[in-house]
Amino acid sequence: MVTYSQEVDDDLVFKALADPTRRLLLDALFERDGRSLSELEAVVAARSEMTRFGVSKHLRLLEAAGLVVTRKQGRVKLHHLNPVPIRLLHDRWIDKYTERRVTALTELKRQLEDNS
Amino acid sequence: MVTYSQEVDDDLVFKALADPTRRLLLDALFERDGRSLSELEAVVAARSEMTRFGVSKHLRLLEAAGLVVTRKQGRVKLHHLNPVPIRLLHDRWIDKYTERRVTALTELKRQLEDNS
DNA sequence: TTGACAGGTGACCATTTGGTCACCTATTCT
DNA sequence: AGAATAGGTGACCAAATGGTCACCTGTCAA
């Protein structure tokens, strides 16, 4: 596959976001931060049938991308969501001027959906 | 692969963003909107060696994801960047309150990089 | 100190994805 | 009308990715 210069670390972020299970994990951490592998494993298990190894592998990719940061506490490893890479992703294609228009649009969309 | 409910169209967006060539195409459209396939082909060719077919296939995926919208004018097809899906992606993991802190952080980062 | 619990590593297989090619359609110019 | 230009489609192959398994390490409690 082709990879362009200065794209190496970005690539990890986008690749990490490309998988539905990994997005589910980010959703879980967005809802409540600082969960252990076992907890996250349970979240995933509620939706699909995946072993602990699968979840662990996904978390490793999220961590390598900087989307999740971890700290060890005894024998448990706590996971936290890091929003910075997502904001940078956003800023790559949405500048300050476009942002206002787009924000207005997405809020309109949300209101319309709420009223349905 | 696993796919979760209400994730189907999101999935297209994330998958579309996962490829470096497609990101390069979005960059090109962000810089100047409304380009034809031939123009975009030239942009990609300057970086890697890819045939028209490859570029065409990538554009089709971007269009399916809603990241690029097109309109035909005679025999040329003009491509435009649509920022809305990217904003929605952003809003999924960054709420209004977090946004302020993160924006401050990323701007600090940018300033530091400019001064180096 | 023995067992249970929380997690990690590397090999391996099935599926998906990126990319090209041969071939086709529609529009413009002379 | 005929040639050149702009683009599209489906089949196909090589490489990357998702997921599991067997096996290993470190930590806590009885």
Side-chain angles (χ1 to χ4, degrees), chain A residues 74-116:
Chain A
R75 59 176 165 177
V76 298
K77 191 179 184 181
L78 299 180
H79 301 75
H80 295 264
L81 177 60
N82 176 25
V84 175
I86 294 168
R87 180 66 194 185
L88 291 174
L89 181 164
H90 169 273
D91 292 350
R92 177 164 175 177
W93 293 297
I94 300 186
D95 54 49
K96 280 265 171 288
Y97 307 99
T98 318
E99 184 170 4
R100 288 195 208 121
R101 300 190 345 252
V102 177
T103 306
L105 263 177
T106 54
E107 269 165 14
L108 177 64
K109 179 175 187 292
R110 206 163 298 146
Q111 285 175 20
L112 289 174
E113 284 170 352
D114 283 352
N115 292 348
S116 65

Side-chain angles (χ1 to χ4, degrees), chain B residues 1-20:
Chain B
M1 179 194 294
V2 199
T3 313
Y4 308 102
S5 57
Q6 284 190 327
E7 259 268 315
V8 196
D9 25 325
D10 283 359
D11 199 53
L12 288 175
V13 176
F14 290 104
K15 287 267 165 57
L17 289 174
D19 182 88

Side-chain angles (χ1 to χ4, degrees), chain B residues 77-91:
Chain B
K77 192 178 186 182
L78 299 180
H79 301 75
H80 296 263
L81 176 61
N82 177 24
V84 175
I86 295 169
R87 181 65 195 188
L88 292 174
L89 181 163
H90 170 272
D91 291 350

Side-chain angles (χ1 to χ4, degrees), chain A residues 23-35 40 79-83 86, chain B residues 90-96 98:
Chain A
R23 291 196 294 274
L24 179 63
L25 288 168
L26 292 180
D27 288 340
L29 292 177
F30 181 62
E31 193 214 312
R32 186 162 59 79
D33 224 19
R35 306 210 200 196
L40 292 169
H79 301 75
H80 295 264
L81 177 60
N82 176 25
I86 294 168
Chain B
H90 170 272
D91 291 350
R92 177 165 176 177
W93 293 298
I94 301 187
D95 54 50
K96 278 268 172 292
T98 318

Side-chain angles (χ1 to χ4, degrees), chain A residues 32-52:
Chain A
R32 186 162 59 79
D33 224 19
R35 306 210 200 196
S36 68
L37 169 60
S38 314
E39 268 181 284
L40 292 169
E41 185 193 340
V43 171
V44 173
R47 293 264 210 147
S48 70
E49 308 205 340
M50 188 180 299
T51 59
R52 176 172 61 86

